[in-house]
Amino acid sequence: MPATPLDRRTLNRTLLRRQSLLTRSGMGAEEAVAHLIGLQSQVPGSPYPGLWSRLEGFTFDRLSTLLTRRRVVRVVAMRGTVHLVTAADALRLHPWLRAKFERDLRSSRWAPGIVGVDRDALVAHGRRLLAERPLGPAELRVALGGRFPASDPESLATALRAWAPLVQIPPRGIWGASGGPRYAFLDEWVGAPLAEDPRPADLVRRYLAAYGPATPADAQKWSGLTGLKELFDRLDLVTYPAGPGASGRTLYDLPDAPLADGAAPVPARFVADFDNLVLSHADRTRVLGDVPKTRVITVNGLVRGTVLIDGFVGGVWRFERAKGRAAVVVSPFAALGTADRDTLAEEGARLLAASDPGAEFTQVRFEAP
């Protein structure tokens, strides 16, 4: 074990480097989605600015094309939330996370509404329905309720989404398109079977490659699973003692994964709403610093877009749109220095050119701290 513990700034710079937020990466959009093991997509448009901030030359239409070509898909994945992941990863993640989906369903308010429902029968009927055509939530409730009239239709639809590998198909998730979710079976949509062996060890290694160094508790927060400490202990990993300002627990990492210099400069950055950068560790101080979580994550679970100042969350941001007009509104937590303000103004203008190319008037506006 190294004599020198990892301090907060080293963890911060290392995470930003692995997230392509220290400097933008030249990798393609599909490769980036795979490296990140997906981007949370509770809000369908969130992955677009999320990738834009990470990738050199990224354009929003590239991700839309990947969705329509079924190279990436929107599925329930880590933490039981909707993620945009590669088709290949979706086929691995659902079998790995299935036990969590089932556990969440059993403890949910929907559980009483499916008492006595045969799981295999419900999934088989759902597959027949969605093989005919994709259905939206209301249509699915009606169709399932007709087959299982003694059960609550909304509970049936919720159970199907937990028990079966469903994908939300386009135009949901296409930038600039509208429309509610419509469901298809993942394996039929992408034309490949679910993984019989999802290889949890490989997924943990990939988590560390994108989010490490990290503790088992961090990986559990990212995935929503429990009991990962035993898996960490079986892997060939290096360990570091956490220093002041870190989690106070032993950190694990890949043997060949380099650490970043904690003194490395970081330009001001926009990070998308619901970004996994701020959601994938039990100890979020490596990103939040001393900022209270409640300034970023609301009581009803909304995760605001954030701005990074010197690598740490230093404010929040949002899009504002009206007819023919689009703005990026920055709300810093403290007064911005000239260099950070200028960088955010330039980045914000570029972001609006990518997100709202048809707007007649665009603006980057700063609110008072």
Coordinates of all heavy atoms in Angstrom, one line a residue, residues 73-107:
V73 N -29.3 2.6 -26.7 CA -30.7 2.4 -26.3 C -31.0 3.1 -25.0 O -30.0 3.3 -24.2 CB -31.1 0.9 -26.3 CG1 -31.1 0.3 -27.7 CG2 -30.3 0.2 -25.3
R74 N -32.2 3.3 -24.7 CA -32.7 3.9 -23.4 C -33.4 2.8 -22.6 O -34.4 2.3 -23.0 CB -33.6 5.1 -23.6 CG -32.9 6.3 -24.4 CD -33.8 7.5 -24.5 NE -34.0 8.1 -23.2 CZ -35.1 8.1 -22.5 NH1 -36.2 7.5 -23.0 NH2 -35.2 8.8 -21.4
V75 N -32.8 2.4 -21.5 CA -33.3 1.3 -20.7 C -33.2 1.6 -19.2 O -32.4 2.5 -18.8 CB -32.6 0.0 -21.0 CG1 -32.8 -0.5 -22.4 CG2 -31.1 0.1 -20.7
V76 N -34.0 1.0 -18.4 CA -33.8 1.0 -17.0 C -32.5 0.2 -16.6 O -32.4 -0.9 -17.0 CB -35.0 0.5 -16.2 CG1 -34.7 0.4 -14.7 CG2 -36.2 1.3 -16.5
A77 N -31.6 0.9 -15.9 CA -30.3 0.3 -15.6 C -29.9 0.6 -14.2 O -30.6 0.4 -13.3 CB -29.3 0.7 -16.7
M78 N -28.7 1.2 -14.1 CA -28.1 1.5 -12.7 C -29.1 2.3 -11.9 O -29.7 3.2 -12.4 CB -26.8 2.2 -12.9 CG -25.6 1.3 -13.3 SD -25.7 0.7 -15.0 CE -25.4 2.2 -15.9
R79 N -29.2 1.9 -10.6 CA -30.0 2.6 -9.6 C -31.5 2.5 -10.0 O -32.3 3.3 -9.4 CB -29.6 4.0 -9.4 CG -28.1 4.2 -9.0 CD -27.7 5.6 -8.8 NE -27.8 6.4 -10.0 CZ -26.9 6.5 -11.0 NH1 -25.8 5.7 -10.9 NH2 -27.0 7.3 -12.0
G80 N -31.9 1.6 -10.9 CA -33.3 1.5 -11.3 C -33.7 2.7 -12.1 O -35.0 3.0 -12.1
T81 N -32.8 3.5 -12.7 CA -33.2 4.7 -13.4 C -32.9 4.5 -14.9 O -32.1 3.6 -15.3 CB -32.4 5.9 -12.9 OG1 -31.0 5.6 -13.0 CG2 -32.7 6.2 -11.5
V82 N -33.5 5.3 -15.7 CA -33.4 5.2 -17.2 C -32.0 5.7 -17.5 O -31.6 6.8 -17.1 CB -34.4 6.0 -17.9 CG1 -34.2 5.9 -19.4 CG2 -35.8 5.5 -17.6
H83 N -31.3 4.9 -18.3 CA -29.9 5.3 -18.8 C -29.9 5.1 -20.3 O -30.6 4.3 -20.9 CB -28.9 4.3 -18.2 CG -28.3 4.8 -16.9 ND1 -29.1 4.9 -15.7 CD2 -27.1 5.2 -16.5 CE1 -28.4 5.3 -14.7 NE2 -27.2 5.5 -15.1
L84 N -29.0 5.9 -20.9 CA -28.7 5.7 -22.3 C -27.4 4.9 -22.3 O -26.3 5.3 -21.8 CB -28.4 7.0 -23.0 CG -28.0 6.9 -24.5 CD1 -29.2 7.0 -25.4 CD2 -27.0 8.0 -24.8
V85 N -27.4 3.6 -22.9 CA -26.3 2.7 -22.9 C -26.1 2.2 -24.3 O -27.0 2.2 -25.1 CB -26.4 1.6 -21.8 CG1 -26.6 2.1 -20.4 CG2 -27.6 0.7 -22.2
T86 N -25.0 1.6 -24.6 CA -24.8 0.9 -25.8 C -25.7 -0.3 -25.8 O -26.1 -0.9 -24.8 CB -23.4 0.5 -26.1 OG1 -23.0 -0.5 -25.1 CG2 -22.4 1.7 -26.0
A87 N -26.1 -0.8 -27.0 CA -26.9 -2.0 -27.1 C -26.2 -3.2 -26.5 O -26.9 -4.0 -25.8 CB -27.3 -2.2 -28.6
A88 N -24.9 -3.3 -26.7 CA -24.2 -4.4 -26.2 C -24.2 -4.4 -24.7 O -24.4 -5.4 -24.0 CB -22.8 -4.4 -26.7
D89 N -24.1 -3.2 -24.1 CA -24.1 -3.1 -22.6 C -25.5 -3.3 -22.0 O -25.6 -3.9 -21.0 CB -23.6 -1.7 -22.1 CG -22.1 -1.7 -22.0 OD1 -21.4 -2.8 -22.0 OD2 -21.5 -0.6 -22.0
A90 N -26.5 -2.9 -22.7 CA -27.9 -3.2 -22.3 C -28.1 -4.6 -22.1 O -28.8 -5.1 -21.1 CB -28.9 -2.5 -23.2
L91 N -27.6 -5.4 -23.0 CA -27.8 -6.9 -23.0 C -27.0 -7.5 -21.8 O -27.4 -8.6 -21.3 CB -27.3 -7.5 -24.3 CG -28.1 -7.1 -25.5 CD1 -27.4 -7.5 -26.8 CD2 -29.5 -7.6 -25.5
R92 N -26.0 -6.8 -21.3 CA -25.2 -7.3 -20.1 C -25.8 -6.8 -18.8 O -25.9 -7.5 -17.8 CB -23.8 -6.9 -20.2 CG -23.0 -7.3 -21.4 CD -21.6 -6.8 -21.3 NE -20.8 -7.1 -22.6 CZ -20.5 -6.2 -23.5 NH1 -20.9 -5.0 -23.4 NH2 -19.9 -6.6 -24.6
L93 N -26.3 -5.6 -18.8 CA -26.7 -4.9 -17.6 C -28.0 -5.5 -17.0 O -28.1 -5.6 -15.8 CB -26.8 -3.4 -17.8 CG -25.4 -2.7 -18.0 CD1 -25.6 -1.3 -18.5 CD2 -24.6 -2.7 -16.7
H94 N -28.9 -5.7 -17.9 CA -30.2 -6.2 -17.4 C -30.1 -7.5 -16.6 O -30.6 -7.6 -15.5 CB -31.3 -6.4 -18.5 CG -32.6 -6.6 -18.0 ND1 -33.1 -7.9 -17.7 CD2 -33.7 -5.8 -17.7 CE1 -34.3 -7.9 -17.2 NE2 -34.7 -6.6 -17.2
P95 N -29.4 -8.5 -17.1 CA -29.2 -9.7 -16.2 C -28.5 -9.4 -14.9 O -28.8 -10.1 -13.9 CB -28.4 -10.7 -17.1 CG -28.7 -10.2 -18.5 CD -28.8 -8.7 -18.4
W96 N -27.5 -8.5 -14.9 CA -26.8 -8.2 -13.7 C -27.6 -7.5 -12.7 O -27.5 -7.7 -11.5 CB -25.5 -7.4 -14.1 CG -24.6 -7.1 -13.0 CD1 -24.1 -8.1 -12.1 CD2 -23.9 -5.9 -12.6 NE1 -23.2 -7.5 -11.2 CE2 -23.1 -6.2 -11.5 CE3 -24.0 -4.6 -13.1 CZ2 -22.3 -5.2 -10.9 CZ3 -23.2 -3.6 -12.5 CH2 -22.4 -3.9 -11.4
L97 N -28.5 -6.6 -13.1 CA -29.3 -5.8 -12.3 C -30.7 -6.3 -12.0 O -31.4 -5.7 -11.2 CB -29.4 -4.4 -12.9 CG -28.1 -3.6 -13.1 CD1 -28.3 -2.4 -14.0 CD2 -27.5 -3.2 -11.8
R98 N -31.0 -7.4 -12.6 CA -32.4 -8.0 -12.5 C -32.8 -8.2 -11.0 O -33.9 -7.9 -10.6 CB -32.5 -9.3 -13.2 CG -33.9 -9.9 -13.3 CD -33.8 -11.3 -13.9 NE -33.5 -11.1 -15.4 CZ -32.6 -11.9 -16.0 NH1 -31.9 -12.7 -15.3 NH2 -32.4 -11.7 -17.3
A99 N -31.9 -8.6 -10.2 CA -32.3 -8.9 -8.8 C -32.7 -7.6 -8.1 O -33.6 -7.6 -7.2 CB -31.1 -9.6 -8.0
K100 N -32.0 -6.5 -8.4 CA -32.3 -5.2 -7.8 C -33.7 -4.8 -8.3 O -34.5 -4.3 -7.5 CB -31.3 -4.1 -8.2 CG -31.8 -2.7 -7.8 CD -30.9 -1.6 -8.2 CE -31.6 -0.3 -7.9 NZ -32.2 -0.1 -6.6
F101 N -34.0 -4.9 -9.6 CA -35.3 -4.5 -10.1 C -36.4 -5.3 -9.4 O -37.5 -4.7 -9.0 CB -35.4 -4.8 -11.6 CG -34.4 -4.1 -12.4 CD1 -34.0 -4.6 -13.7 CD2 -33.8 -2.9 -12.0 CE1 -33.1 -4.0 -14.5 CE2 -32.8 -2.3 -12.8 CZ -32.5 -2.8 -14.0
E102 N -36.2 -6.6 -9.2 CA -37.2 -7.4 -8.5 C -37.4 -7.0 -7.0 O -38.5 -6.9 -6.5 CB -36.8 -8.9 -8.6 CG -36.9 -9.4 -10.1 CD -36.4 -10.8 -10.2 OE1 -36.0 -11.4 -9.1 OE2 -36.5 -11.4 -11.3
R103 N -36.2 -6.7 -6.4 CA -36.3 -6.3 -5.0 C -37.0 -5.0 -4.8 O -37.9 -4.8 -3.9 CB -34.9 -6.2 -4.4 CG -34.8 -5.9 -2.9 CD -33.3 -5.9 -2.5 NE -32.6 -4.8 -3.0 CZ -31.6 -4.9 -3.9 NH1 -31.2 -6.1 -4.3 NH2 -30.9 -3.9 -4.3
D104 N -36.7 -4.1 -5.7 CA -37.4 -2.8 -5.7 C -38.9 -2.9 -5.9 O -39.7 -2.2 -5.2 CB -36.9 -1.8 -6.7 CG -35.4 -1.4 -6.4 OD1 -35.0 -1.6 -5.2 OD2 -34.8 -0.8 -7.3
L105 N -39.3 -3.8 -6.8 CA -40.7 -4.0 -7.1 C -41.4 -4.6 -5.8 O -42.5 -4.2 -5.5 CB -40.9 -5.0 -8.3 CG -42.3 -5.3 -8.6 CD1 -43.1 -4.1 -9.1 CD2 -42.4 -6.4 -9.7
R106 N -40.8 -5.6 -5.2 CA -41.4 -6.2 -4.0 C -41.7 -5.2 -2.9 O -42.6 -5.4 -2.1 CB -40.5 -7.4 -3.5 CG -40.5 -8.6 -4.4 CD -40.0 -9.8 -3.7 NE -38.6 -9.6 -3.2 CZ -37.5 -9.9 -4.0 NH1 -37.6 -10.4 -5.2 NH2 -36.3 -9.6 -3.5
S107 N -40.8 -4.2 -2.8 CA -41.0 -3.2 -1.7 C -41.7 -2.0 -2.1 O -41.8 -1.0 -1.3 CB -39.6 -2.8 -1.2 OG -38.8 -2.2 -2.2

